[in-house]
Amino acid sequence: MTEFTPVQSLLGGALIGLSAVLLMAFHGRIAGMTGILAGAFAPGAGRGWRLAFLAGAVAAPLLLMWPVGIKIDFASPVPLGLTALSGLLVGIGVSYGGGCTSGHGVCGMARLSARSIVATLSFMLATGLTVYATRHLLAGG
C-alpha cells in the first residue's frame, strides 16, 4: 500500500522546482535527468555540472537521513530483473519521447511547451493504465 505523505511531497516538489529554476538561471539548461545522465558520460564540455547535479541527487536523501534522522525505505517488492527491464523500457521511451518526466513534466510544462504537455499527458495515461493493469487485471497487489 502506498503511504499518503502530502507535506513531504509538497516539500520535495518545491525542491525539485527550485533546482530546475536554479539550473536554468545559472547554466541555461533544462533539468531533465536522462539528458543530464547521458551528458555526464559523453565526452565534451559540461560534464562537471552534470556530475555535480547527479551526485547531489544521490547524496541528498542520504544526507537527509543522517542529521535529521529520517528513515527512507529503499526496499522494493519488485525483483531486480524486472526493475532492470523496466529501466530499459523507460530508456527506450525516453528516446522516442525526446525527454523524460523531469524534462517534460517539470521544465517543459512550466514553459508551456505544447510538446511537453502532450508528452506528460502520455506519461500519466501510461502510468495510470500500468497501475490499473498490475493491481487489478494481473492481481499484482
Side-chain angles (χ1 to χ4, degrees):
M1 166 137 327
T2 304
E3 188 176 334
F4 182 63
T5 57
V7 174
Q8 292 93 332
S9 300
L10 179 65
L11 292 174
L15 289 173
I16 290 170
L18 178 63
S19 69
V21 167
L22 292 174
L23 185 62
M24 180 60 80
F26 290 119
H27 293 282
R29 305 298 303 206
I30 297 291
M33 291 302 288
T34 54
I36 292 172
L37 182 64
F41 296 102
R47 291 182 65 198
W49 72 265
R50 287 180 168 92
L51 291 171
F53 194 95
L54 292 170
V58 171
L62 301 174
L63 292 174
L64 182 65
M65 291 171 58
W66 173 59
V68 181
I70 293 176
K71 183 181 182 323
I72 300 173
D73 186 9
F74 290 102
S76 173
V78 180
L80 185 59
L82 284 177
T83 302
L85 176 62
S86 300
L88 178 65
L89 291 174
V90 167
I92 293 168
V94 162
S95 65
Y96 281 116
C100 61
T101 53
S102 54
H104 284 301
V106 175
C107 301
M109 286 185 57
R111 295 179 307 131
L112 301 177
S113 164
R115 179 173 160 237
S116 291
I117 291 169
V118 170
T120 303
L121 289 173
S122 299
F123 298 152
M124 298 307 292
L125 179 63
T127 300
L129 291 173
T130 301
V131 169
Y132 180 80
T134 56
R135 290 192 177 177
H136 301 287
L137 301 179
L138 299 176

